[in-house]
Amino acid sequence: MKYLIIFLFLLIPININALEINSSHAILYNMNENTVLFEKEADTRTYIASLTKIMTTIVAIENIDDINEYVTIPYEALEGLIEANASVAGFKLGQIVTYKDLLYGILLPSGADAAKTVAYYIAGSEEKFVDLMNEKAENLGLTNTHFANTSGLDTDNHYSTVRDISIILKYALQNETFKEIYTTNTYTTSDNSLTFKSVYSNYLNRYDLENKYIYGSKTGYTTLAGYCLSTIANYDGVEYMLITTNADGTSNYPLHIMDANMIYDYFINNYHYLNIINKNDLLITLDTKNSKEDKLEIKSNETISKYLNKNITNKDLSFEYNGLNEIDYFTKKGQIGTLNIKLNDETLESISIMYNGGLTFSFISLYLDNLIISLPITLLILVLILKLRPKKS
């Protein structure tokens, strides 16, 4: 009995919600379908550290006419950074750089000096640039986000949620310039004075961590925010996005990286795309009326796949059809019903069943299918014929 219980336990799929991650807040998306796969305190406000710079960068890009234009690093961009213990890219006072250098400097080494420089030249001050960031957050419909600076330094009026950050990142990744920067590991400035290397890569190298899936990232850390991480990953054609915040920052080990690897490993090892419908699969068979054909078969014109646990097979699926059970030759073309594909009580997909013609008119079928009407008419005609027939003299 003991071994039977153990065996049955092994058959139960692991619940991702039972996995213990170090981060206090997390959200994972399947970007192919824009569906949430996992979340933890996703709508709870949290400090976000340098994940702030995702918004800083996209707002900057949208307000720069030419990213190859040169600007000079001003005093205002460096003021107070040492006192605030802010991370910097390493730009020097008076250095002439391009906006492109600054944009890479914001995301790769998480440079507050680069962030404050673009803010200065675009809006005249960091404060006015932050107004643009908050305006963008409002335009994106974010109700749990407010920015107080461009770099993510801790302050009570600077917060977001991992769900809001994911919305910002999804929006930003639609911009080709942002995506190119976000997915770059190494960049050398236009004057060859600085080389930026992704902080994520530094974590990988320093702790000898394997990167199997992630190809774009932005890290963050402050005392109150702890370790924060945003990543996009790809495996076997599936695009993922993961945002985590507030992993224990006092640890000597990058717990946010460990969380990311654990979550990605779980879904990649346990989930995949299953073809629940293949092209030309028979969907439904309908009886016909007023047609030479006895039956009408409606087949799928596409392959439909769903992201499911690997333990699930097509045998676990059920089909529920709602619509016409009989098709008439005179039926108008268009939708005649819906086929719901279900897993247990959950509808995985709803397919519109379309009638596109294909039946052949049959007078005999018209007659036989409508005997209630056609038979009396026939008898009436026969009676009339008999009555009207000339009598023999």
Side-chain angles (χ1 to χ4, degrees), residues 55 59 127-140 142 145-149 157-159:
M55 180 65 99
V59 170
E127 291 76 13
K128 290 181 179 179
F129 187 87
V130 169
D131 289 339
L132 297 179
M133 294 169 64
N134 285 319
E135 182 180 328
K136 176 62 70 175
E138 184 177 349
N139 291 340
L140 291 174
L142 310 182
T145 294
H146 188 271
F147 299 104
N149 55 71
N157 204 28
H158 191 97
Y159 56 82

Coordinates of all heavy atoms in Angstrom, one line a residue, residues 55 59 127-140 142 145-149 157-159:
M55 N 11.2 51.9 -18.8 CA 10.4 53.0 -19.2 C 11.2 54.2 -19.6 O 10.9 54.9 -20.6 CB 9.5 53.4 -18.0 CG 8.5 54.6 -18.3 SD 7.3 54.3 -19.7 CE 5.9 53.9 -18.7
V59 N 10.7 55.9 -23.4 CA 10.3 57.3 -23.5 C 11.4 58.1 -24.2 O 11.1 59.0 -25.0 CB 10.0 57.8 -22.1 CG1 9.8 59.4 -22.2 CG2 8.8 57.2 -21.5
E127 N 13.3 66.0 -13.6 CA 11.9 66.1 -13.1 C 10.9 66.2 -14.3 O 9.9 65.5 -14.2 CB 11.8 67.3 -12.2 CG 12.5 67.2 -10.9 CD 14.1 67.4 -11.0 OE1 14.5 67.9 -12.1 OE2 14.8 67.1 -10.1
K128 N 11.2 67.0 -15.3 CA 10.3 67.1 -16.4 C 10.3 65.8 -17.2 O 9.2 65.5 -17.8 CB 10.7 68.3 -17.2 CG 10.5 69.7 -16.5 CD 10.9 70.8 -17.4 CE 10.6 72.1 -16.7 NZ 11.0 73.3 -17.6
F129 N 11.4 65.1 -17.3 CA 11.4 63.9 -18.1 C 10.6 62.8 -17.3 O 9.9 62.0 -18.0 CB 12.8 63.4 -18.2 CG 12.9 62.2 -19.1 CD1 13.1 62.3 -20.5 CD2 12.9 60.9 -18.6 CE1 13.2 61.2 -21.3 CE2 13.0 59.8 -19.4 CZ 13.1 59.9 -20.8
V130 N 10.6 62.8 -16.0 CA 9.8 61.9 -15.2 C 8.3 62.2 -15.5 O 7.5 61.2 -15.5 CB 10.1 62.0 -13.7 CG1 9.1 61.3 -12.9 CG2 11.5 61.5 -13.5
D131 N 8.0 63.4 -15.7 CA 6.6 63.7 -16.1 C 6.2 63.0 -17.3 O 5.0 62.5 -17.5 CB 6.4 65.2 -16.2 CG 6.4 66.0 -14.9 OD1 6.2 65.4 -13.9 OD2 6.7 67.2 -15.0
L132 N 7.1 62.9 -18.3 CA 6.8 62.2 -19.5 C 6.6 60.7 -19.3 O 5.8 60.0 -19.9 CB 8.0 62.4 -20.5 CG 8.2 63.8 -21.0 CD1 9.4 63.9 -22.0 CD2 6.9 64.4 -21.7
M133 N 7.4 60.2 -18.3 CA 7.3 58.8 -18.0 C 6.0 58.5 -17.3 O 5.3 57.4 -17.7 CB 8.5 58.4 -17.0 CG 9.9 58.5 -17.7 SD 11.2 58.3 -16.4 CE 11.0 56.7 -15.8
N134 N 5.5 59.3 -16.4 CA 4.2 59.1 -15.8 C 3.1 59.3 -16.8 O 2.1 58.6 -16.7 CB 4.1 60.1 -14.6 CG 4.9 59.6 -13.4 OD1 5.0 58.4 -13.1 ND2 5.6 60.6 -12.8
E135 N 3.3 60.2 -17.7 CA 2.3 60.4 -18.8 C 2.1 59.1 -19.6 O 1.0 58.7 -20.0 CB 2.6 61.6 -19.6 CG 1.6 61.9 -20.7 CD 2.0 63.1 -21.6 OE1 2.7 64.0 -21.0 OE2 1.7 63.1 -22.8
K136 N 3.3 58.5 -20.0 CA 3.3 57.3 -20.7 C 2.6 56.2 -19.9 O 1.8 55.4 -20.5 CB 4.7 56.9 -21.1 CG 4.8 55.6 -21.8 CD 4.1 55.6 -23.2 CE 4.7 56.5 -24.2 NZ 4.1 56.4 -25.5
A137 N 2.9 56.1 -18.6 CA 2.3 55.1 -17.8 C 0.8 55.2 -17.8 O 0.0 54.3 -17.9 CB 2.8 55.2 -16.4
E138 N 0.3 56.5 -17.7 CA -1.1 56.7 -17.7 C -1.7 56.3 -19.1 O -2.8 55.7 -19.1 CB -1.4 58.2 -17.5 CG -2.9 58.6 -17.4 CD -3.1 60.0 -17.0 OE1 -2.1 60.7 -16.7 OE2 -4.2 60.5 -17.1
N139 N -1.0 56.6 -20.2 CA -1.5 56.3 -21.5 C -1.6 54.8 -21.7 O -2.4 54.3 -22.4 CB -0.6 56.9 -22.6 CG -0.7 58.4 -22.7 OD1 -1.7 59.0 -22.2 ND2 0.3 59.0 -23.2
L140 N -0.7 54.0 -21.0 CA -0.8 52.6 -21.1 C -1.8 52.0 -20.1 O -1.9 50.7 -20.0 CB 0.6 52.0 -20.7 CG 1.7 52.3 -21.8 CD1 3.1 51.8 -21.3 CD2 1.4 51.6 -23.1
L142 N -1.8 52.1 -16.8 CA -1.2 51.6 -15.5 C -1.7 52.4 -14.3 O -1.4 53.6 -14.2 CB 0.3 51.6 -15.7 CG 0.9 51.1 -16.9 CD1 2.4 51.1 -16.9 CD2 0.4 49.6 -17.2
T145 N 1.4 52.3 -10.9 CA 2.7 52.7 -11.3 C 2.9 54.2 -11.1 O 2.1 55.0 -11.6 CB 3.1 52.3 -12.7 OG1 3.1 50.9 -12.8 CG2 4.5 52.8 -13.1
H146 N 4.0 54.6 -10.5 CA 4.4 56.1 -10.4 C 5.9 56.2 -10.4 O 6.5 55.5 -9.6 CB 3.7 56.8 -9.2 CG 3.9 58.3 -9.3 ND1 5.0 58.9 -8.7 CD2 3.2 59.2 -9.9 CE1 4.9 60.2 -8.9 NE2 3.8 60.4 -9.6
F147 N 6.4 57.1 -11.2 CA 7.9 57.3 -11.2 C 8.2 58.6 -10.6 O 7.5 59.6 -10.7 CB 8.4 57.3 -12.7 CG 8.1 56.0 -13.4 CD1 7.1 55.9 -14.3 CD2 8.9 54.8 -13.1 CE1 6.8 54.7 -15.0 CE2 8.7 53.7 -13.8 CZ 7.6 53.6 -14.7
A148 N 9.4 58.6 -9.8 CA 9.9 59.8 -9.2 C 11.3 60.1 -9.7 O 11.8 61.2 -9.4 CB 9.9 59.6 -7.7
N149 N 11.9 59.2 -10.4 CA 13.2 59.4 -11.0 C 13.4 58.5 -12.2 O 12.6 57.7 -12.4 CB 14.3 59.2 -9.9 CG 14.3 57.9 -9.3 OD1 14.6 56.8 -9.9 ND2 13.8 57.8 -8.0
N157 N 7.5 57.5 -3.4 CA 6.6 57.8 -4.5 C 7.1 57.2 -5.9 O 6.7 57.6 -6.9 CB 6.6 59.4 -4.7 CG 5.3 59.8 -5.4 OD1 4.3 59.2 -5.3 ND2 5.4 61.0 -6.1
H158 N 7.9 56.2 -5.7 CA 8.4 55.5 -6.9 C 8.1 54.0 -6.8 O 8.7 53.3 -6.0 CB 9.9 55.7 -7.1 CG 10.5 55.3 -8.4 ND1 10.7 56.2 -9.4 CD2 10.9 54.1 -8.8 CE1 11.2 55.5 -10.5 NE2 11.3 54.2 -10.1
Y159 N 7.2 53.5 -7.5 CA 6.7 52.1 -7.4 C 6.0 51.6 -8.6 O 5.7 52.4 -9.5 CB 5.7 52.0 -6.2 CG 4.5 53.0 -6.3 CD1 3.4 52.6 -7.1 CD2 4.5 54.2 -5.7 CE1 2.3 53.5 -7.2 CE2 3.4 55.1 -5.8 CZ 2.4 54.7 -6.6 OH 1.3 55.5 -6.7

